[in-house]
């Protein structure tokens, strides 16, 4: 499948564990996994992965290292200290699957390039079920040559793989994807709240909208599967993580001298969601805040 005989994988959370599992099953490579939690390591070990003793161990023993971590802060945590930068060697590749800061991404890429190694940003999109099924969408920032070598491995867990441009372009694309999603879910939450107060069944509303020009992935997933049943579980993509991502979008806008009122509204709504005690819940919980908001 590729020239990478040993794959390191760091970060086995809600998305990382099934992604790593798909690499174990489909890549035909040795997979060396690391996480601070013992439970996913035990499950993956039973399915054929090997367990790394540390980040340094995973980097030292791998040809390519995938990161699936919650934020730029977590990525920096494994990059510095006795981590990636200290232990990387010429010819190695690091692929960051998380949504992270564009400036940090490009900075880390330059530091690895100086050591003869490479960094690719490949943030993932779609749901936990898609991660399990291997049907994620991945937006990649890398040179054309590097993209060609890592794409076969990414296709072990993704059905849509888009080369967005050089390093950082994958992050830009994913951040904007999330920005549009957050703003769309905000609109859906407003529509549901108004429907309830005017005698229209929210389920009927969303079903009807899905048959017209207001249809969207957000409606069919976040609206129908989360907002209608009021299902906002923890251990999913939380309001706190969503706030982080909308912050990245607004940083990009500020650097370009642009004002994004819709994104700013989504940020403020997510802040209110967190302040109300829902920060650990699945982020469409912002609908609870919209439903409670006084008119005017």
């Amino acid at each position: 499948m590729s020239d990478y005989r040993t794959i390191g994988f760091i970060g086995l959370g809600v998305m990382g564990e099934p992604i790593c599992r798909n690499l174990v099953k489909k890549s035909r490579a040795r997979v060396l996994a690391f996480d601070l939690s013992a439970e996913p390591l035990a499950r993956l070990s039973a399915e054929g992965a090997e367990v790394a003793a540390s980040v340094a161990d995973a980097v030292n023993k791998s040809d390519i290292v995938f990161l699936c971590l919650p934020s730029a802060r977590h990525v920096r945590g494994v990059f510095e200290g006795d981590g990636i930068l200290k232990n990387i060697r010429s010819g190695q590749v690091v692929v960051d699957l998380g949504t992270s800061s564009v400036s940090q991404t490009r900075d880390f890429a330059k530091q690895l390039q100086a050591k003869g190694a490479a960094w690719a940003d490949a943030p993932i999109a779609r749901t936990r079920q898609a991660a399990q099924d291997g049907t994620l969408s991945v937006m990649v920032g890398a040179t054309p040559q590097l993209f060609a070598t890592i794409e076969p491995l990414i296709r072990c867990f993704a059905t849509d793989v888009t080369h967005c441009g050089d390093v950082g372009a994958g992050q830009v694309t994913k951040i904007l994807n999330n920005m549009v999603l957050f703003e769309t879910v905000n609109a859906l939450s407003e529509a549901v709240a108004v429907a309830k107060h005017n005698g229209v069944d929210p389920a009927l509303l969303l079903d009807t909208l899905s048959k017209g020009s207001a249809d969207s992935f957000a409606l069919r997933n976040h609206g129908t599967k989360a907002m209608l049943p009021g299902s906002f579980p923890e251990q999913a993509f939380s309001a706190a993580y969503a706030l982080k991502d909308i912050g990245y979008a607004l940083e990009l806008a500020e650097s370009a001298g642009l004002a994004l009122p819709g994104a700013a509204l989504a940020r403020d709504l997510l802040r209110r969601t967190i302040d109300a005690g829902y920060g650990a819940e699945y982020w469409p919980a912002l609908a609870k805040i919209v439903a409670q908001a006084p008119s005017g």
Side-chain angles (χ1 to χ4, degrees), residues 42-53:
R43 289 190 290 267
L44 287 166
S45 178
E47 297 181 54
E50 298 178 36
V51 176

Side-chain angles (χ1 to χ4, degrees), residues 23-46:
L23 284 168
V24 171
K25 292 179 178 179
K26 301 176 186 178
S27 71
R28 300 194 297 272
R30 175 192 182 201
V31 177
L32 194 63
F34 178 75
D35 194 87
L36 296 178
S37 176
E39 290 81 2
L41 285 170
R43 289 190 290 267
L44 287 166
S45 178

Side-chain angles (χ1 to χ4, degrees), residues 192-273:
V192 166
V194 173
K196 286 181 178 178
H197 284 281
N198 284 275
V200 174
D201 177 9
L204 181 145
L205 172 74
L206 294 189
D207 181 60
T208 304
L209 295 183
S210 74
K211 299 171 184 175
S213 57
D215 186 31
S216 67
F217 176 91
L219 187 156
R220 286 176 274 108
N221 286 274
H222 302 81
T224 301
K225 298 176 183 178
M227 289 164 55
L228 286 185
S231 177
F232 310 111
E234 297 186 7
Q235 304 301 315
F237 190 80
S238 69
Y241 287 155
L243 180 62
K244 162 190 68 75
D245 284 3
I246 199 69
Y248 293 149
L250 288 164
E251 285 176 10
L252 288 174
E254 183 179 1
S255 68
L258 299 171
L260 303 182
L265 175 62
R267 177 189 59 192
D268 294 343
L269 186 55
L270 286 163
R271 283 176 174 166
R272 289 168 55 200
T273 303

Side-chain angles (χ1 to χ4, degrees), residues 69-91:
L69 298 165
S71 70
R73 176 175 60 84
H74 293 87
V75 174
R76 181 171 291 277
V78 301
F79 187 83
E80 297 177 341
D82 190 21
I84 293 169
L85 185 61
K86 179 180 177 180
N87 292 282
I88 202 79
R89 63 185 182 275
S90 180

